[in-house]
Amino acid sequence: MERRRVSAAVEAAHHEHLKTLSFEDTTDFEDADRGFLAALAPCVITAADGRVVWDNDSYGFLAGGAPTSVHPALWRQSQLAAKQGLYEVVEGIYQVRGFDISNITFVEGDSGVIVIDPLISTEVAAAALALYREHRGGQRPVTAVIYTHSHVDHFGGVLGVTSQAEVDAGRVVVIAPEGFIDHVVAENVYAGTAMLRRASYMYGTTLERGPYGQVGCGLGQNTSTGEVGVIVPTVTISQTGESRVVDGVQIEFQMAPGSEAPAEMHFYFPQFRALCMAENATHTQHNLLTLRGALVRDPRAWAGYLTEAIDTFAGRADVVFASHHWPTWGTERIAEYLALQRDLYAYLHDQTLRLLNQGYTGVEIAEQFRLPPALERAWHARGYYGSVSHNVKAVYQRYLGWFDGNPARLWPHPPEALATRYTAAMGGVDRVVELATEAFCDGDFRWAATLLDHAVFTDPDHAGARRVYADTLEQLAYGSENATWRNFFLSGATELRTGVFGTAGQVTSMTLLSQLSPEQLFDSLAIRVDGPRAWDLQVALDVSFADSGLSYRLSVRNGVLVHRKALPDPASADATVTAATKLALLGALLGSGTLEISGDRSAWTKLREVLDTADPGFNIVTP
């Protein structure tokens, strides 16, 4: 891997950070080590075919002081997040940390164990359960699984701790907040290809590990890359204050929809005096709009749920834990920790609204925005994963959208057309590269990146532009406290030098797709219709599923696929398609498997011919 010397401007900034931030405070390290029982050695987890899906040992380089190529606060955060093994939260509650970007938690019940958030993939969840059983649980059976929310790192590994057969037999209950499956589909299927391609940048999954490469992602170290599954919940939680006894353990629930995830909940264990905050109170400033893409989150509601949790649970809790990072112990510390997290999201929301109502745009607000001193000093409020800059812009977007109100910015040219005009106005690509090189030497990497973006979108093969652009993004990475920004910068530099690396991991798995309802399946087809190619297509298909007996009418007109459960006159259909199962229909759409078709068979062919295929390797840093 090509290395560039860390610029003097970045080194000077890091030197100031070392002087101004409270690195002498080691409380987080003490908390992260508390309750340690055992580590996995080596901490390398493989799939059945031998492919490595998780390698925590690759972060061994994090020992010692921060190099100048990494922001010292980010280095500190990565050292904490890289700690791995089985930990006791309190007697009866155990976490395995460092096996994925998220934590898996085991709560001991009367006859078995309740699993909270089984990581991203089957292999790492199974390894975590094995470590727990080796040092604590013996062959204690899994009796329940709780999904705190609808992001894949909190459900994807469920098949590593239980099976659909166990759930169907009633031996395991699966508990989730209301709306869980709908939001799982919306995030992981509807826009899954684009999100996962961007996630490869955000998490730096393909980057080399090391002080000049990926050092973590702030919320954890990385995402595992094994089999992703899901089991549909058997118990849905829909109301705050709802209380259930699961395997002899009482659980009190608090709904938190529209916070860090659209379907999310917190819960409290009275007998353990332990509070689980899902992902709404972690040891970092979180995202209001994640860089991989998502719906903009509601910081006002988020802060409100934290206030409610403080008032409802904090005074009764001896420990608060979450699905990322390490716990916090002590009633007073818990109240202050949750209050600071609450103040963080409330301040981002309220002050952005104050300034936008004074006429400032999102970019302008982000440049001038400063957190209060108490939040600046709190390690857990710093921007390793989310950032003040992109969170403020997210709040602006939530209320006012992408347009900042300036009519000159209402209808700009797209990037390639804009780039050629800017480059011509500045005297051609060579002159733009010359100006960018001057900015680079002056330490103005943001301006250099802007210039070189135009240069590369004018002439993608210009070797000098690509070289200086990659060098510029690298310096921006070295200076970034935010891990996801660092990974974006380094990923862009990598693709400029070596070409598009595509998407790490699967966009969707058949296990996940098999859980789609027929309506969700047809919705996922509708967004694949190539509108212009289908403008003149008019077809009507009746689709029936033999296993469920359900039937639907699919119709295409004006480039739109519409589905109805109530069938019109069957005689009006061009063809009738019968699939044994949803998976059979999916297989046929992917080119494998057979269907029973009566009527005009060409109607089915015509529909398949206008379905587009998503591109998991689309360009990002080049046109």
Side-chain angles (χ1 to χ4, degrees):
M1 178 179 176
E2 184 180 349
R3 310 271 193 243
R4 276 198 61 83
R5 184 185 69 82
V6 180
S7 70
V10 171
E11 288 185 344
H14 289 345
H15 182 69
E16 285 301 307
H17 299 140
L18 287 168
K19 291 194 301 184
T20 57
L21 296 175
S22 54
F23 287 94
E24 70 283 356
D25 179 1
T26 60
T27 304
D28 284 336
F29 287 90
E30 294 161 9
D31 284 343
D33 288 333
R34 180 170 170 171
F36 174 76
L37 296 176
L40 182 65
C43 193
V44 179
I45 301 169
T46 57
D49 61 4
R51 179 174 57 92
V52 173
V53 300
W54 180 254
D55 182 1
N56 200 71
D57 290 356
S58 64
Y59 293 101
F61 66 87
L62 287 165
T68 55
S69 57
V70 184
H71 193 292
L74 175 57
W75 185 263
R76 174 189 183 276
Q77 180 75 355
S78 295
Q79 287 180 318
L80 287 160
K83 293 177 180 290
Q84 63 91 0
L86 176 67
Y87 296 81
E88 183 178 82
V89 178
V90 294
E91 186 176 358
I93 300 181
Y94 301 85
Q95 282 190 319
V96 173
R97 305 198 282 270
F99 279 32
D100 209 325
I101 189 174
S102 49
N103 302 333
I104 184 171
T105 303
F106 303 99
V107 180
E108 294 177 353
D110 287 351
S111 61
V113 61
I114 302 164
V115 178
I116 302 171
D117 285 357
L119 309 178
I120 291 176
S121 48
T122 298
E123 297 86 349
V124 292
L129 179 59
L131 184 68
Y132 163 77
R133 283 177 168 163
E134 178 184 356
H135 296 280
R136 177 68 192 179
Q139 290 304 307
R140 184 186 294 269
V142 172
T143 52
V145 175
I146 301 176
Y147 305 138
T148 62
H149 60 292
S150 52
H151 292 154
V152 69
D153 50 325
H154 304 272
F155 68 81
V158 65
L159 297 179
V161 297
T162 191
S163 67
Q164 186 69 56
E166 288 289 294
V167 174
D168 291 344
R171 290 187 287 270
V172 177
V173 297
V174 180
I175 304 170
E178 185 175 34
F180 172 83
I181 280 291
D182 286 343
H183 291 296
V184 164
V185 171
E187 180 153 323
N188 293 287
V189 177
Y190 294 160
T193 300
M195 284 187 179
L196 197 56
R197 168 69 171 129
R198 288 169 52 147
S200 296
Y201 263 56
M202 177 174 172
Y203 297 114
T205 309
T206 65
L207 297 175
E208 180 181 335
R209 310 288 188 267
Y212 291 91
Q214 203 261 16
V215 300
C217 59
L219 195 65
Q221 288 308 94
N222 212 318
T223 53
S224 67
T225 55
E227 178 196 34
V228 175
V230 68
I231 296 176
V232 173
T234 59
V235 175
T236 295
I237 305 300
S238 58
Q239 291 187 341
T240 293
E242 190 168 342
S243 180
R244 288 180 177 265
V245 175
V246 180
D247 193 10
V249 177
Q250 185 183 358
I251 311 174
E252 299 176 19
F253 294 93
Q254 178 200 2
M255 302 305 295
S259 52
E260 185 271 338
E264 190 150 356
M265 63 185 181
H266 313 146
F267 38 90
Y268 173 73
F269 299 96
Q271 74 189 69
F272 299 111
R273 292 181 57 85
L275 172 61
C276 176
M277 289 301 296
E279 201 168 318
N280 281 332
T282 59
H283 288 272
T284 181
Q285 181 182 154
H286 215 296
N287 290 299
L288 298 180
L289 178 56
T290 178
L291 299 184
R292 64 178 166 80
L295 298 176
V296 179
R297 296 157 186 174
D298 185 351
R300 177 176 173 274
W302 193 330
Y305 297 134
L306 289 173
T307 297
E308 185 177 51
I310 293 167
D311 293 344
T312 306
F313 303 121
R316 301 190 273 150
D318 293 330
V319 65
V320 61
F321 65 94
S323 299
H324 297 271
H325 301 139
W326 51 95
T328 297
W329 287 268
T331 303
E332 291 184 5
R333 287 184 64 207
I334 291 167
E336 179 62 10
Y337 164 67
L338 293 178
L340 284 172
Q341 286 278 300
R342 184 267 320 279
D343 295 347
L344 171 63
Y345 300 114
Y347 194 87
L348 287 166
H349 174 270
D350 296 349
Q351 295 306 305
T352 300
L353 266 292
R354 179 180 68 83
L355 291 167
L356 73 80
N357 280 314
Q358 292 180 1
Y360 292 101
T361 67
V363 172
E364 292 168 338
I365 298 168
E367 284 299 298
Q368 64 177 286
F369 202 97
R370 296 294 178 270
L371 291 174
L375 293 175
E376 288 279 2
R377 289 192 300 267
W379 284 113
H380 62 82
R382 296 194 68 83
Y384 317 113
Y385 190 55
S387 74
V388 167
S389 179
H390 73 259
N391 279 341
V392 162
K393 294 168 189 170
V395 177
Y396 186 94
Q397 177 180 322
R398 180 177 178 86
Y399 284 92
L400 295 183
W402 60 269
F403 178 44
D404 69 5
N406 185 321
R409 298 167 193 151
L410 179 58
W411 191 35
H413 288 289
E416 288 180 71
L418 196 64
T420 57
R421 287 163 170 77
Y422 270 117
T423 301
M426 285 186 259
V429 174
D430 291 338
R431 177 56 179 158
V432 172
V433 175
E434 182 182 335
L435 291 169
T437 302
E438 292 174 6
F440 180 96
C441 293
D442 291 339
D444 191 352
F445 304 119
R446 293 169 71 182
W447 177 231
T450 299
L451 291 169
L452 292 161
D453 176 31
H454 289 315
V456 167
F457 266 71
T458 300
D459 183 358
D461 298 320
H462 193 288
R466 293 178 77 106
R467 176 181 55 80
V468 181
Y469 193 8
D471 293 345
T472 299
L473 292 178
E474 209 165 51
Q475 294 300 321
L476 287 167
Y478 296 161
S480 178
E481 180 177 10
N482 184 282
T484 62
W485 286 35
R486 176 185 176 93
N487 292 335
F488 255 86
F489 291 138
L490 289 176
S491 294
T494 299
E495 292 200 334
L496 286 165
R497 288 177 176 144
T498 63
V500 173
F501 51 63
T503 293
Q506 292 180 303
V507 176
T508 52
S509 67
M510 289 304 289
T511 305
L512 179 59
L513 291 173
S514 70
Q515 299 296 344
L516 300 179
S517 68
E519 291 83 1
Q520 291 166 335
L521 172 58
F522 297 139
D523 283 343
S524 71
L525 286 183
I527 62 177
R528 289 178 54 197
V529 172
D530 184 333
R533 287 175 59 201
W535 282 345
D536 298 323
L537 176 64
Q538 290 199 43
V539 296
L541 293 168
D542 286 348
V543 178
S544 298
F545 297 99
D547 61 339
S548 65
L550 295 174
S551 297
Y552 296 82
R553 166 66 58 88
L554 302 187
S555 59
V556 178
R557 62 188 299 270
N558 296 321
V560 177
L561 186 152
V562 176
H563 62 84
R564 297 183 179 90
K565 191 171 183 180
L567 296 183
D569 177 12
S572 64
D574 296 304
T576 298
V577 176
T578 302
T581 64
K582 290 178 296 181
L583 281 178
L585 182 64
L586 282 167
L589 288 166
L590 295 171
S592 63
T594 59
L595 300 172
E596 180 183 330
I597 302 176
S598 60
D600 182 1
R601 296 182 65 88
S602 70
W604 171 253
T605 303
K606 290 174 183 176
L607 173 60
R608 284 193 58 201
E609 286 176 346
V610 298
L611 295 180
D612 207 352
T613 300
D615 178 9
F618 58 79
N619 288 348
I620 291 178
V621 76
T622 54

